[in-house]
Amino acid sequence: MTTIAGEPATGTTARAAGYAHAAAWLLGLAAGWGATPEVGDTPAGIATAYADRPVQAVAQALLVHGVAAAGLVAVGSGLLDRARRAGNAAARPAGWAGVIAGALAFLQLVLELIAIPGADPESPGRTGELFEAVQRVDGVKMLALAVLATAACAAARHGTLLRRWELVTGWALAATITLSGIGYLLLSAVLATAAFISLPLLLIWIAALGAALRRCP
C-alpha cells in the first residue's frame, strides 16, 4: 500500500485498482451482510453487533476500508500522473481528492480495528463513540469523492478521458454522494439512505475511471 501511495500509478495499475475497488466493496458487503451496525443504531446495538460477529465485521472493514482504499489511492495517483504528463492542471484536484478519500478510508479502518475487538455490550459507550467517528469520517470521505467526480468530469470536458456515459454517471455520483456524505457527517439516517444510490454509482464510476486512465495514456 505504501508503494501505491508513494508512486504515480501507471494506466495499467489504475485500471486494476478501479476493478479491485469495486470487487473489494462487493466482497466486503457480502462478508458483513446483516452483521454490522448501521447509522442511527444505539450504542448498545452497535456494541452487540460487533461483539456477536467480530470476524465478519473485521473482514468487512479490511475489504471496504483497506483493499478498496488502496484502489482509490492508486486511481487518484493515476489522475495526478496523467495531469502531470498531459499538462492538464484541472485534473490535479481530482487526483488529490482520490488520494485523500483513500487516506480517510484507512483512518476508518484504524478506528474500526480499535472498536470491534473492544466491543462490550455491557459498556457500549466507547464503541458507540468510535462507530460515530467512523461514520463522520465516512461523510468527509464521501464529500472528497464528490470533489473527485466533479473535478474529473470538469477536466474531461475538453479532453478524451471520459466517454459520455461516464460523464453522466460521474455527475450523478457527485450529486448523490454529496447528499449521502452530509447524511453520514450529521449521522442522519434519512439522508444516509442516499448511499443506496451513490454506492453503486461509485463502484461503477471508479472502475470506469481506472479503465479510462489505461485507455487514454
Side-chain angles (χ1 to χ4, degrees):
M1 292 181 184
T2 302
T3 302
I4 291 176
E7 299 176 0
T10 64
T12 301
T13 300
R15 179 176 63 178
Y19 295 154
H21 175 266
W25 254 105
L26 293 173
L27 289 172
L29 290 173
W33 187 262
T36 53
E38 302 288 343
V39 173
D41 286 353
T42 64
I46 294 164
T48 299
Y50 280 157
D52 286 349
R53 298 180 178 86
V55 174
Q56 287 176 266
V58 168
Q60 183 181 77
L62 289 172
L63 287 164
V64 169
H65 297 141
V67 178
L72 275 178
V73 172
V75 172
S77 296
L79 277 168
L80 289 172
D81 184 51
R82 177 178 172 80
R84 176 183 58 80
R85 289 183 290 104
N88 186 350
R92 288 197 189 99
W96 281 115
V99 172
I100 290 169
L104 289 168
F106 284 132
L107 175 58
Q108 289 180 275
L109 176 60
V110 171
L111 293 172
E112 287 171 314
L113 293 180
I114 295 171
I116 296 166
D120 180 1
E122 295 185 3
S123 182
R126 181 169 177 268
T127 302
E129 290 172 358
L130 286 168
F131 178 79
E132 287 188 1
V134 170
Q135 305 317 303
R136 292 188 192 278
V137 172
D138 208 4
V140 178
K141 181 186 72 179
M142 290 180 190
L143 295 179
L145 289 168
V147 173
L148 164 60
T150 300
C153 288
R157 290 177 64 184
H158 305 294
T160 58
L161 176 62
L162 298 175
R163 297 165 177 161
R164 177 166 296 184
W165 76 266
E166 294 165 341
L167 283 169
V168 171
T169 304
W171 288 118
L173 169 63
T176 56
I177 207 165
T178 296
L179 187 60
S180 59
I182 293 171
Y184 275 78
L185 191 59
L186 300 179
L187 301 179
S188 167
V190 175
L191 292 176
T193 58
F196 287 107
I197 300 173
S198 63
L199 179 57
L201 291 174
L202 175 68
L203 303 190
I204 293 168
W205 191 76
I206 292 295
L209 178 59
L213 289 168
R214 175 66 180 87
R215 183 177 67 240
C216 304

